[in-house]
Amino acid sequence: MRDFFRITRFPSHEVIIGERPLGGLNPIRLQSMTNTNTLDVEATIAQSIRIIEAGADYVRIAAPNIRAAEALKEIKNGIRKAGFSHPLIADIHFNAEVALTAARYVEKVRINPGNYTGGASRIKTHITKEYLAREKEQLYTRLKPLVQACKEHGTAIRIGTNLGSLSPAIINRFGNSPEGMVQATLEFLEAFRELDFHQLVISLKASKPIVMVQAYERMVELMLENQMTYPLHIGITEAGEGENGRIKSALGICNLLNKGIGDTLRVSLTEAPELEIPFAGKLSSVYQIPFTLPDNDKKYLLKKSCFSSEEILVTEEKLKAVVIAETHNEQKTAQYHSSSPGSIIAKLPEAHTMADFCFTASAIASRPSFGKQWLVTPQTAKELPGQNVTLLIEMGSEKIPPIPNYVSGFFIRGCCKDPIRHTQAMNDKRFLGLVADMNSCNEEVNLDAWVAFSQQNQVPLILRRSFQTADSDELISHFAMFAGNYLMEKKIQGIWIHAPFIKEDVTGIAFGFLQSAGLRITKTEFISCPTCARTSFDLQSVLKQVQKVAKGWPGLKIAVMGCVVNGPGEMADADFGFVGTGAGKLHLYKGQKILKKNIEISEAPQALLHVLKEAGYKPAALND
């Protein structure tokens, strides 16, 4: 398995944030953000305390206006009176004066390069040198008093760049892209450095794990080239809620932590903010020791993602990835229906997808199939003469046993520490792929060798891992730690999770990983923000209603966003989406075009259903 103690941390310098400094050899700090109305001081104090008691190091609070920024003083006093000294962070968008006010009361201020010098982004088709010069002058004009205030009060600053709110000048020159995020951040870094201010933290967030990872890798690459060591705040923005939100967050965050990147993190879920912290703790716990060990003799080397250029397909259905289940999970899986997994046909509905193969060690497979292919050992196959089954052959066997003609296909399974054998058998047209078992030995797993063999020989590779936990959050976090990098680089063609004590649908979790990694789309994708003080409606409730009417179409992307700060930008690649307005109502979008304004909250699901029908999504897809 992955040796986490060999991870070398990006050599960030320490930034003082109250009594809990960040970066250097300090622990990975955890944080969340309140979603109460900041002007409701008592509610914000109470929620902040719940976040702290859940294990957070920092609490972030939105300050959308001067009154909210002034309220931070009273909120901080209330938290201190309750016995907590945890630093507070003010979240600022659009208004530099608000940042200036907040800097007097909190330990850190977050500003967004995409909107700090003005209003919401508007795409411009022509950016002149004069326009860029005016923007730079305006930036320095607004940053100088903020820097002075932060130096006076010992306040740190986070340059919080989001893909969904890049400035028109950045988009015009670099596109809505990872490079655009990096360049937007560098412009602000340059300004702060010229103003001799270095108590800075950097973040580059997006709702897609692959985009987020590419942005951080590029940022670290440039910092190393220019001898910069600013601490990094990592996380997926608008990850959503529940299992899918956790999977998407884990993929992106663990990918970076595996590379030594990340000094503080937030798991942004559309749930009560205190619920983010336990999962964030699970993601960071394994990395805390190696991240806090002195590595004076080790030079940090960035291992950038290397995405596979090979398209290795599995089975006659030509799938990019498959899922193998086991009989202990069959009952949970079989209750769902499946047709044409991995394909989108005439916008017809898909319910939860069953596994492509189900492994059983007994002749139980002789009973009617649950709709997929049984995977059995050669011994079990002998008890099922003439039945259409798939064989699982062990790599350790001296030789491949004769494969009966009625067998439709076979996998070869082995421990990753062992050399790959029986390559001749892989020429058989019925050979489906290798299964790399990460649990069948105590020695360190050398999965890289198997991945290299797979890529060089166009052999599908399925990753199998066992878990004895009954905690699905622990399963998700640990699977992301060990397999996330390979999945995101598209070097794995299948998942087999053995988890007999998990009550949740393990097959659904496996498909969730494949979807978040972009390997196989089997359900509607929902993009939603975690909400904050700028949200004027019950986003969690609306999201659940929207999921109920739109959860059945693979490939369809639906967004529910709290406000205009990142909403329209982060949902740019969604097919349809809602964005909250200040009046507590919703605008309905198709892509970047507003279809209908000021929809009542109660009418949102039906409004979406109406546009889906008009777009050809058939009402038979509706779920109870």
Side-chain angles (χ1 to χ4, degrees):
M1 63 185 63
R2 185 180 297 277
D3 188 347
F4 292 96
F5 285 92
R6 293 185 181 178
I7 295 175
T8 302
R9 184 179 189 173
F10 171 71
S12 59
H13 65 255
E14 184 178 82
V15 169
I16 302 302
I17 304 176
E19 296 181 3
R20 298 192 175 218
L22 178 67
L25 293 178
N26 290 293
I28 302 167
R29 302 297 190 185
L30 309 182
Q31 59 180 283
S32 184
M33 184 174 180
T34 60
N35 59 14
T36 52
N37 185 334
T38 306
L39 295 177
D40 188 341
V41 172
E42 292 304 319
T44 305
I45 291 172
Q47 190 175 73
S48 298
I49 291 173
R50 291 196 298 273
I51 292 170
I52 291 168
E53 289 179 335
D57 296 288
Y58 309 136
V59 177
R60 181 153 49 112
I61 303 170
N65 51 49
I66 294 292
R67 287 183 62 206
E70 291 287 359
L72 293 172
K73 179 180 181 181
E74 190 176 350
I75 291 168
K76 182 176 180 178
N77 288 338
I79 294 171
R80 298 293 179 264
K81 287 179 181 178
F84 299 99
S85 61
H86 293 61
L88 300 185
I89 303 167
D91 194 70
I92 310 297
H93 294 273
F94 302 116
N95 196 326
E97 291 300 318
V98 176
L100 195 59
T101 301
R104 305 203 305 264
Y105 307 126
V106 297
E107 283 78 10
K108 185 168 73 170
V109 171
R110 179 272 173 110
I111 60 175
N112 184 340
N115 57 43
Y116 188 71
T117 58
S121 295
R122 298 286 190 273
I123 302 301
K124 296 183 182 295
T125 58
H126 184 59
I127 302 292
T128 64
K129 291 182 179 179
E130 292 75 17
Y131 177 88
L132 295 175
R134 287 196 303 271
E135 274 219 335
K136 184 174 182 180
E137 182 181 355
Q138 187 180 32
L139 172 60
Y140 278 75
T141 299
R142 296 198 173 191
L143 286 184
K144 283 179 182 177
L146 178 61
V147 165
Q148 184 177 347
C150 287
K151 286 182 176 180
E152 182 179 344
H153 296 280
T155 308
I157 295 175
R158 169 159 70 99
I159 304 172
T161 306
N162 278 16
L163 181 68
S165 54
L166 296 178
S167 72
I170 288 291
I171 294 174
N172 181 274
R173 289 177 291 163
F174 305 103
N176 214 29
S177 65
E179 185 65 27
M181 297 167 69
V182 171
Q183 294 302 324
T185 306
L186 287 173
E187 284 188 1
F188 271 62
L189 263 183
E190 180 185 357
F192 280 118
R193 288 163 70 86
E194 287 191 20
L195 294 170
D196 194 28
F197 187 81
H198 304 282
Q199 289 293 98
L200 299 168
V201 182
I202 294 170
S203 67
L204 307 96
K205 294 189 179 183
S207 61
K208 288 185 176 181
I210 190 170
V211 173
M212 183 271 274
V213 168
Q214 289 175 322
Y216 278 96
E217 288 181 350
R218 178 62 174 152
M219 189 73 229
V220 168
E221 183 179 46
L222 291 177
M223 283 206 289
L224 290 171
E225 289 177 6
N226 293 280
Q227 291 78 51
M228 294 188 290
T229 56
Y230 296 102
L232 292 156
H233 167 135
I234 63 174
I236 298 289
T237 188
E238 282 84 44
E241 52 85 47
E243 173 187 290
N244 292 324
R246 285 163 172 78
I247 290 172
K248 187 184 288 188
S249 294
L251 268 179
I253 290 171
C254 290
N255 185 295
L256 293 177
L257 291 175
N258 284 339
K259 297 165 182 170
I261 298 170
D263 299 286
T264 179
L265 67 88
R266 182 192 176 191
V267 176
S268 299
L269 299 174
T270 310
E271 300 177 15
E274 60 268 25
L275 299 182
E276 297 177 351
I277 301 302
F279 189 67
K282 287 181 170 69
L283 293 181
S284 62
S285 61
V286 172
Y287 304 92
Q288 293 289 13
I289 292 178
F291 271 46
T292 53
L293 290 175
D295 278 329
N296 296 329
D297 59 333
K298 289 185 180 180
K299 181 180 179 181
Y300 177 80
L301 296 174
L302 172 63
K303 185 179 180 181
K304 293 184 69 174
S305 298
C306 181
F307 299 98
S308 174
S309 59
E310 305 293 339
E311 188 173 64
I312 303 174
L313 303 177
V314 191
T315 77
E316 293 182 356
E317 294 177 273
K318 303 300 181 184
L319 301 175
K320 291 183 179 180
V322 298
V323 170
I324 299 176
E326 300 195 16
T327 48
H328 69 265
N329 196 43
E330 178 198 341
Q331 289 183 342
K332 288 180 284 186
T333 305
Q335 63 182 302
Y336 304 122
H337 302 287
S338 175
S339 64
S340 302
S343 63
I344 307 173
I345 303 176
K347 299 180 180 179
L348 289 173
E350 288 282 349
H352 293 262
T353 307
M354 289 190 297
D356 302 286
F357 300 91
C358 187
F359 174 75
T360 180
S362 71
I364 189 174
S366 61
R367 68 189 187 189
S369 170
F370 66 93
K372 289 297 169 191
Q373 186 70 44
W374 288 105
L375 181 62
V376 301
T377 64
Q379 181 60 41
T380 302
K382 292 178 182 179
E383 303 173 34
L384 303 168
Q387 288 212 22
N388 182 23
V389 294
T390 300
L391 291 187
L392 180 67
I393 298 170
E394 297 299 329
M395 184 79 72
S397 305
E398 286 299 318
K399 61 180 181 178
I400 297 289
I403 300 174
N405 291 332
Y406 60 80
V407 170
S408 60
F410 66 95
F411 290 95
I412 299 177
R413 178 174 73 171
C415 173
C416 292
K417 78 174 181 67
D418 294 330
I420 295 172
R421 306 171 61 197
H422 307 311
T423 56
Q424 190 65 34
M426 298 177 195
N427 295 321
D428 191 310
K429 292 182 178 179
R430 292 175 293 175
F431 173 66
L432 296 173
L434 289 170
V435 176
D437 198 330
M438 299 180 71
N439 300 95
S440 58
C441 60
N442 294 322
E443 293 89 348
E444 180 180 338
V445 171
N446 183 16
L447 185 57
D448 286 341
W450 283 55
V451 168
F453 179 87
S454 165
Q455 294 289 301
Q456 292 166 9
N457 296 278
Q458 294 282 289
V459 171
L461 181 62
I462 286 75
L463 183 62
R464 182 182 185 274
R465 184 164 175 81
S466 295
F467 295 90
Q468 299 304 309
T469 181
D471 182 350
S472 61
D473 280 2
E474 186 174 324
L475 183 154
I476 290 170
S477 60
H478 280 236
F479 192 79
M481 292 173 194
F482 287 98
N485 293 48
Y486 298 107
L487 284 171
M488 287 185 62
E489 293 178 8
K490 296 178 172 43
K491 294 177 179 176
I492 298 291
Q493 287 74 48
I495 296 175
W496 178 352
I497 297 176
H498 172 74
F501 304 112
I502 296 291
K503 294 180 181 179
E504 291 79 6
D505 178 22
V506 175
T507 298
I509 292 174
F511 276 113
F513 270 104
L514 295 182
Q515 175 139 338
S516 292
L519 283 168
R520 184 168 171 188
I521 308 302
T522 53
K523 53 190 173 183
T524 304
E525 181 177 349
F526 293 96
I527 302 166
S528 61
C529 70
T531 78
C532 66
R534 289 180 289 269
T535 306
S536 59
F537 67 100
D538 186 347
L539 193 148
Q540 291 184 52
S541 175
V542 172
L543 176 61
K544 291 186 183 301
Q545 294 175 52
V546 168
Q547 287 174 329
K548 189 174 182 179
V549 301
K551 67 181 180 181
W553 290 285
L556 178 67
K557 295 182 181 180
I558 303 291
V560 182
M561 311 300 289
C563 70
V564 298
V565 169
N566 297 314
E570 287 295 350
M571 58 178 268
D573 65 340
D575 297 292
F576 303 95
F578 291 103
V579 176
T581 71
K585 297 183 179 181
L586 304 171
H587 291 346
L588 175 57
Y589 286 71
K590 180 179 181 180
Q592 291 290 284
K593 179 183 177 182
I594 297 179
L595 294 180
K596 191 174 181 181
K597 292 185 176 181
N598 298 318
I599 300 170
E600 295 289 343
I601 300 298
S602 60
E603 298 174 3
Q606 288 304 311
L608 176 62
L609 180 57
H610 177 72
V611 299
L612 287 174
K613 288 180 179 178
E614 286 188 337
Y617 293 89
K618 300 181 181 181
L622 298 184
N623 296 280
D624 296 327

